[in-house]
């Protein structure tokens, strides 16, 4: 029989990132220590956190998100020292990456230690760990004194949340508390690197391949090119369809033509441009939102704009696909997965 989540009242607390209120932090820590779920901002997206060492608490995350049990979750640690308590083996390459990129948007897959319940890793022998760089997350994880399992705070296969409103849209009634610190500063989920074998990138993200290789001193290729969506999966959670709005999404390298074509078929279209193409005049059936042509700024705005378009109940979202260049790799990965329905 399928387990079900129990409806709870979801409290929302506004927090100031410059001086995090100790009473709010304590409340969040107590909920987590009691086996509850708290959505917290990170520097990338909002995560839904639970005590990573409490099997039942982690199971509640899977229920709230309707996440398949085969998709492991990332464990967040306060610092590299705490991360080391979660793994069986801490290779020198992990030190190199942690020294340069932690706290920050980098997740390391290592051999799982005995402390970590199997549910975290979908029963597998590895665990993904990262140290997030956000004042609110840091304050809560330090107050709780435990590592926190925290996948992105959205229902399974939907868009990741970059605001508290996005979290509530998917998880209201399923989690005890949301700490609302405004939009997250990043916007694209962390880079996931496998260090259990020769280093490789399981999920491209804000830390690029050349940044990783410079810190590692060895190669760190992409485990699976994002265009090859049918290749065998190294990361069990890398389902082809992921990070997707409810509205069908398509990526285009000739978006103005594609939008004109769809609009002539009387389709209601949302078009996410790369800034420079947005001056053309289209019918009122076309809603044009433009994102900056700088990858960092684009990444910060991408999910919020997709959430906005998704709310409008359009027939289609067309996205101008950014160029096939390293600094766009993470964004292209998410867009291509999002369009793979
Ligand atoms: O930026 C982020 O990483 C955000 C914030 C909240 O920290 N978290 C996030 O978590 O994106 P989630 O669960 O939405 O994505 C975790 C990714 C999935 O692709 C999953 O398959 C992979 O990490 N992963 C987790 N544990 C793994 C493991 N043991 N081996 C391989 N991949 C793993
Ligand atoms: Mg996710």
């Amino acid at each position: 029989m399928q387990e079900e989540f129990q409806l709870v009242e979801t409290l929302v607390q506004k927090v100031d990132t410059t001086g995090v209120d100790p009473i709010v932090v304590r409340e969040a820590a107590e909920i987590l220590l009691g086996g509850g779920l708290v959505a917290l901002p990170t520097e990338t997206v909002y995560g839904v956190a639970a005590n990573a060492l409490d099997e039942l608490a982690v199971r509640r995350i899977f229920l709230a998100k309707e996440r398949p049990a085969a998709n492991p979750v990332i464990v967040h640690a306060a610092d590299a020292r705490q991360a080391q308590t979660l793994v069986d083996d801490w290779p020198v390459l992990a030190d190199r990456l942690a020294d340069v990129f932690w706290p920050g948007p980098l997740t390391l897959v290592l051999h799982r230690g005995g402390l970590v319940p199997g549910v975290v890793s979908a029963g597998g022998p590895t665990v993904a760990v990262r140290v997030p760089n956000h004042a609110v997350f840091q304050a809560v994880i330090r107050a709780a004194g435990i590592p926190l399992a925290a996948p992105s705070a959205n229902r399974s296969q939907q868009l990741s949340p970059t605001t508290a409103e996005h979290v509530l849209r998917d998880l209201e009634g399923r989690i005890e508390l949301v700490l609302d610190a405004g939009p997250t500063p990043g916007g694209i989920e962390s880079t996931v690197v496998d260090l259990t074998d020769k280093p490789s990138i399981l999920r491209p993200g804000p830390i690029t391949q050349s940044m990783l290789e410079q810190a590692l001193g060895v190669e760190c290729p992409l485990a699976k090119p994002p265009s090859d969506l049918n290749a065998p999966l190294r990361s069990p959670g890398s389902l082809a369809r992921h990070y997707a709005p409810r509205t069908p999404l398509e990526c285009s390298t000739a978006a103005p033509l594609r939008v004109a074509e769809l609009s002539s078929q009387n389709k209601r279209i949302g078009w996410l441009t790369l800034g420079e193409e947005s001056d053309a005049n289209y019918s009122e059936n076309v809603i044009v939102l433009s994102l900056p042509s700088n990858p960092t700024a684009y990444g910060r705005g991408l999910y919020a704009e997709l959430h906005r378009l998704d709310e409008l109940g359009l027939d289609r979202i067309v996205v101008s696909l950014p160029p096939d260049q390293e600094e766009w790799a993470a964004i292209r990965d998410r867009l291509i997965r999002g369009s793979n329905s």
Side-chain angles (χ1 to χ4, degrees):
M1 199 177 69
Q2 175 98 42
E3 273 182 291
E4 289 241 357
F5 60 89
Q6 290 191 324
L7 277 180
V8 293
E9 191 182 342
T10 303
L11 200 73
V12 183
Q13 290 274 16
K14 291 230 187 262
V15 279
D16 184 345
T17 45
T18 55
V20 190
D21 182 345
I23 296 174
V24 175
V25 168
R26 177 57 21 218
E27 184 185 3
E30 272 164 17
I31 292 172
L32 290 164
L33 287 165
L37 304 184
V38 179
L40 296 169
T42 78
E43 76 279 40
T44 60
V45 301
Y46 277 75
V48 54
N51 179 356
L53 308 182
D54 176 346
E55 183 185 337
L56 284 179
V58 177
R59 293 231 313 252
R60 285 196 60 209
I61 296 182
F62 282 82
L63 290 175
K65 281 181 59 90
E66 297 171 27
R67 185 178 179 103
N71 190 352
V73 297
I74 297 173
V75 180
H76 297 64
D79 51 30
R81 207 146 57 136
Q82 190 181 45
Q84 286 168 20
T85 67
L86 304 167
V87 301
D88 245 1
D89 174 40
W90 182 260
V92 63
L93 294 182
D95 256 338
R96 287 186 199 157
L97 293 180
D99 283 350
V100 179
F101 300 114
W102 280 357
L106 177 66
T107 297
L108 303 181
V109 173
L110 295 160
H111 292 287
R112 174 162 60 95
L115 264 186
V116 180
V119 60
V120 165
S121 305
T126 63
V127 63
V129 291
R130 92 173 183 101
V131 176
N133 185 16
H134 193 288
V136 173
F137 203 110
Q138 278 289 336
V140 172
I141 198 170
R142 283 173 195 277
I146 41 165
L148 298 176
S152 53
N154 51 278
R155 299 251 187 121
S156 188
Q157 301 200 5
Q158 305 290 330
L159 291 171
S160 288
T162 57
T163 65
E165 292 73 33
H166 298 158
V167 175
L168 290 171
R169 224 177 275 169
D170 272 14
L171 298 180
E172 178 148 37
R174 299 178 173 211
I175 62 180
E176 275 78 14
L177 177 65
V178 182
L179 296 192
D180 177 1
T184 53
I188 298 293
E189 306 82 352
S190 64
T191 307
V192 179
V193 171
D194 185 2
L195 290 181
T196 60
D197 197 347
K198 281 200 183 121
S200 68
I201 300 171
L202 299 180
R203 178 175 74 180
I207 309 294
T208 63
Q209 181 176 348
S210 47
M211 290 161 79
L212 292 165
E213 290 179 343
Q214 197 177 3
L216 286 167
V218 297
E219 284 190 353
C220 189
L222 204 60
K224 173 176 67 73
S227 55
D228 186 6
L229 291 165
N230 297 316
L233 301 174
R234 286 276 296 282
S235 176
S238 317
L239 303 173
R241 190 192 135 87
H242 230 119
Y243 313 101
R246 293 172 177 87
T247 314
L249 180 148
E250 73 179 64
C251 300
S252 178
T253 50
L257 285 176
R258 183 64 182 140
V259 169
E261 181 186 21
L262 288 166
S263 134
S264 73
Q265 297 164 10
N266 274 330
K267 295 259 197 314
R268 295 186 63 227
I269 310 297
W271 178 18
L272 213 51
T273 75
L274 257 175
E276 75 288 352
E277 304 162 48
S278 60
D279 36 273
N281 268 325
Y282 288 93
S283 78
E284 59 205 23
N285 281 343
V286 181
I287 292 169
V288 183
L289 295 182
S290 69
L291 281 167
S293 49
N294 161 295
T296 307
Y298 186 108
R300 194 178 297 133
L302 175 63
Y303 289 138
E305 297 300 50
L306 287 176
H307 276 287
R308 263 174 74 185
L309 289 174
D310 210 18
E311 289 286 280
L312 300 175
L314 303 165
D315 294 313
R316 193 77 57 94
I317 297 172
V318 177
V319 181
S320 300
L321 191 64
D324 189 3
Q325 292 163 1
E326 189 192 20
E327 63 271 27
W328 290 99
I331 287 163
R332 285 171 56 94
D333 170 80
R334 304 306 188 273
L335 289 172
I336 290 168
R337 284 179 203 282
S339 64
N340 202 54
S341 51

